[in-house]
Amino acid sequence: MLRNSSRKLTSRLFSSSALRMTAAPLDASKVKISRVGTPSKPRPNDELVFGSTFADHMLTVEWTKEKGWDVPEIKPYGNLSLDPSCAVFHYGFELFEGLKAYKTPDNQVTMFRPDMNMKRLNKSAARICLPTVEPEELIKLMGKLIEQDKHLVPEGRGYSLYVRPTMIGTTAALGVSAPDKALLYVITSPVGPYYKTGFKAVRLEATDYATRAWPGGVGDKKLGANYAPCALPHQQAAKRGYQQNLWLFGPEKNITEVGTMNVFFVFKDAATGKQELVTAPLDGTILEGVTRDSILALAHEKLNSNDWIISERYYTITEVAERAAKGELIEAFGSGTAAVVSPIKEIGWKGTDIHVPLQPGKQTGPLTEQVAQWIADIQYGKEKHGNWSRTVA
Amino acid sequence: MLRNSSRKLTSRLFSSSALRMTAAPLDASKVKISRVGTPSKPRPNDELVFGSTFADHMLTVEWTKEKGWDVPEIKPYGNLSLDPSCAVFHYGFELFEGLKAYKTPDNQVTMFRPDMNMKRLNKSAARICLPTVEPEELIKLMGKLIEQDKHLVPEGRGYSLYVRPTMIGTTAALGVSAPDKALLYVITSPVGPYYKTGFKAVRLEATDYATRAWPGGVGDKKLGANYAPCALPHQQAAKRGYQQNLWLFGPEKNITEVGTMNVFFVFKDAATGKQELVTAPLDGTILEGVTRDSILALAHEKLNSNDWIISERYYTITEVAERAAKGELIEAFGSGTAAVVSPIKEIGWKGTDIHVPLQPGKQTGPLTEQVAQWIADIQYGKEKHGNWSRTVA
């Protein structure tokens, strides 16, 4: 049922995005660059806080329904000036992406699978009637933006430049309809490792009083609409001593996501000894995480299929609780661009805590640690994996 | 089940909003007013377009978690200057309200049930961790704002000043969490009747491939998050010749809302001759419309209970189709602040159109027409109804 309706929607989306392709396409070769007078000095690595200080330059491109994409501009980072009636302030016409750029030992800057983010950005845009972009042009523009601030891309494993493409509807009128004006912009922030002193496993509270996403909704898209409603369940969980909340869905209480990340569990069948890496299937309620996709691909490549089953399937908090009781729950971790993986050590559910094993003396399970290593090796240029790592500056 | 989980959420919300009451409250007496040099001349009534031209002044009030509400300012309408990393652009931290102000024959300005909008504004705010307001203070501030532009409030039945309170999260950082800074602002727009030449009944397409709201979601709140996802189903319906879409929910295909309005149906039991006015119950998936509430209250007061049943109950598109086939479907209309009521004449469903009767030579059913009259009489001061109509300027 779900898959059918989601397929139907997709075909509608394609026709809608195709229609929007007649005006001027996004064209990186037209970019105008005006640089800051005095470039900033890089901050020491240990002073970097996620997403709170920004590099010197930003990219902006205006779009109108009539003319399409205007000339891209790279200019000093600064405030946006917008009419208070703009669609973005009232009706949630906004989407974003999150990627990271890495400094390699030979002073190049690479990005990790940016084509995946561009694909998702276009799906998000089409779903809320914002314009789509030419993926390779926006990748080139991000490269040119990063080039201006190349000295601010931090060096060292765990450090990177977080890149935030954003698109907002800027039509200045209060009627609710598809915006006829939009602004695409990209800002960047030098960031350090999510866990400064190695992994720190988190405690989750399972949330059944609020629902993150639903069939026929927009939970698989990276829209602003999906985030503000998460703040209260997060705050409520934090008050009770949990760092994040675990999202459940439906009467069966399927496990879907953790906070704003995808989530994976590892079970071990007591009878056969076989392990299973499980995550929820992409049924329209799950964000199509690039890290999620990368973990699944690497697991298929690297884990021995005699010992491992890799599943995208529905599974419930009840299954997790039951298998924990039987000693069959082995590991659990969130996955996303910011932290790559985030180990889980406890899950509060119905007044008790389900314990998730960690390695002795460590804040992570063995597969979680391995997965983090696999991905970092590709991101920081130690391993090559097809064209996952792309030189952009 | 639904009612239980919604009650549970409400109690959590109250505790969360109570916590935010320690810093400075919103205080209308502190307002600073700076007026435009040359006030605008009013446009002729027939040139007014909904929400696309604005009055001369706007109200802004800044909030921080640390200090609470700052001094309210009434100042010339103008652009907002915001950091591109602000929470409102990325994570949908935004809510709004819509009200109308009416010029009475004795040159006063009244608002219709503004206390209801303030109550809903606070529920919306608490759900996404934005600050709540003191309802009477914001009503006073709206009055002071309208006073500055009193000459721009259009006269005549059907004409009014549309008032748009808006609140946005302005924390300038990319971490997803409850904003510690916010901006409350109010803009106003002189508007004419939704249907310039009397009623115009609309054709709806029933939408089952997308879902507007879900139990445990935020569909009952007036958040930006609920609106952008509606644009595509609207656009798709329009392409097939329907003015709006009718939202269905769940495998039973319950009727929930129309476009961005609540919706009412009228059935007549062929056996008993009794008529039923039906709308969906407030189960957490339905916007708590002020017009919806007013229509229900007036129907209970004015319709003879020997002839009428007034129901807030679940009903499906299948019931509508079946009762239309039996000649038991009598009327249908949307309800909201902009149009008050919006008569419906056809509903596209499974390749055919369900016909809704209209009065001969008219674009409306008899109850729809009556309801519009009841409400307009109160709004324009012809009838008094408790304190529904409040003088504000």
Side-chain angles (χ1 to χ4, degrees), chain B residues 223-287:
Chain B
L223 302 178
N226 292 323
Y227 290 83
C230 294
L232 187 70
H234 176 213
Q235 206 176 58
Q236 295 290 340
K239 266 185 209 167
R240 292 184 279 268
Y242 297 92
Q243 282 86 24
Q244 270 299 348
N245 71 308
L246 182 70
W247 292 101
L248 307 180
F249 178 79
E252 302 83 9
K253 314 235 180 269
N254 286 330
I255 291 179
T256 59
E257 299 201 12
V258 47
T260 57
M261 302 173 95
N262 293 124
V263 68
F264 287 82
F265 280 76
V266 181
F267 301 119
K268 184 173 192 167
D269 190 295
T272 64
K274 207 156 183 170
Q275 293 190 85
E276 184 187 17
L277 175 64
V278 189
T279 195
L282 299 180
D283 65 359
T285 68
I286 302 293
L287 185 79

Side-chain angles (χ1 to χ4, degrees), chain B residues 42-316:
Chain B
R43 296 196 180 205
N45 271 358
D46 60 359
E47 286 180 15
L48 300 174
V49 177
F50 178 81
S52 59
T53 54
F54 297 92
D56 290 343
H57 298 89
M58 66 193 285
L59 167 77
T60 63
V61 202
E62 290 186 3
W63 174 89
T64 62
K65 191 179 173 184
E66 200 190 343
K67 298 189 178 170
W69 290 107
D70 201 351
V71 170
E73 286 188 66
I74 290 172
K75 58 190 181 188
Y77 185 97
N79 277 13
L80 305 176
S81 174
L82 293 165
D83 191 286
S85 70
C86 276
V88 65
F89 296 127
H90 303 268
Y91 305 130
F93 284 103
E94 58 186 68
L95 61 89
F96 69 96
E97 277 298 327
L99 310 86
K100 282 177 173 175
Y102 307 88
K103 185 77 72 78
T104 61
D106 56 346
N107 201 37
Q108 287 193 314
V109 180
T110 62
M111 289 181 102
F112 184 71
R113 308 187 74 188
D115 52 312
M116 294 286 284
N117 295 85
M118 297 300 100
K119 208 164 125 182
R120 190 171 62 183
L121 181 147
N122 276 345
K123 284 189 194 178
S124 299
R127 181 60 185 86
I128 57 169
C129 301
L130 285 175
T132 52
V133 301
E134 285 64 27
E136 287 302 317
E137 298 302 303
L138 186 50
I139 293 173
K140 278 182 215 160
L141 286 166
M142 288 191 293
K144 286 185 190 190
L145 173 65
I146 293 165
E147 215 167 82
Q148 311 309 314
D149 295 317
K150 199 167 171 179
H151 68 293
L152 298 176
V153 183
E155 284 173 48
R157 195 167 270 224
Y159 294 87
S160 61
L161 186 74
Y162 182 80
V163 180
R164 169 59 61 95
T166 311
M167 203 193 303
I168 60 177
T170 52
T171 300
L174 296 181
V176 184
S177 59
D180 60 359
K181 286 183 186 167
L183 177 71
L184 167 68
Y185 65 90
V186 183
I187 54 178
T188 67
S189 171
V191 299
Y194 199 79
Y195 302 107
K196 298 222 167 187
T197 51
F199 284 115
K200 191 154 188 280
V202 295
R203 303 180 68 225
L204 309 180
E205 182 179 65
T207 299
D208 62 356
Y209 63 91
T211 305
R212 197 194 78 89
W214 197 267
V218 295
D220 56 339
K221 308 294 189 297
K222 218 152 171 72
L223 302 178
N226 292 323
Y227 290 83
C230 294
L232 187 70
H234 176 213
Q235 206 176 58
Q236 295 290 340
K239 266 185 209 167
R240 292 184 279 268
Y242 297 92
Q243 282 86 24
Q244 270 299 348
N245 71 308
L246 182 70
W247 292 101
L248 307 180
F249 178 79
E252 302 83 9
K253 314 235 180 269
N254 286 330
I255 291 179
T256 59
E257 299 201 12
V258 47
T260 57
M261 302 173 95
N262 293 124
V263 68
F264 287 82
F265 280 76
V266 181
F267 301 119
K268 184 173 192 167
D269 190 295
T272 64
K274 207 156 183 170
Q275 293 190 85
E276 184 187 17
L277 175 64
V278 189
T279 195
L282 299 180
D283 65 359
T285 68
I286 302 293
L287 185 79
E288 299 178 0
V290 178
T291 309
R292 175 191 178 280
D293 183 85
S294 306
I295 291 170
L296 287 171
L298 292 169
H300 278 290
E301 288 167 24
K302 293 177 187 273
L303 296 178
N304 185 330
S305 64
N306 293 324
D307 306 328
W308 283 91
I309 301 165
I310 297 152
S311 303
E312 293 175 73
R313 67 165 171 92
Y314 293 109
Y315 63 110
T316 66

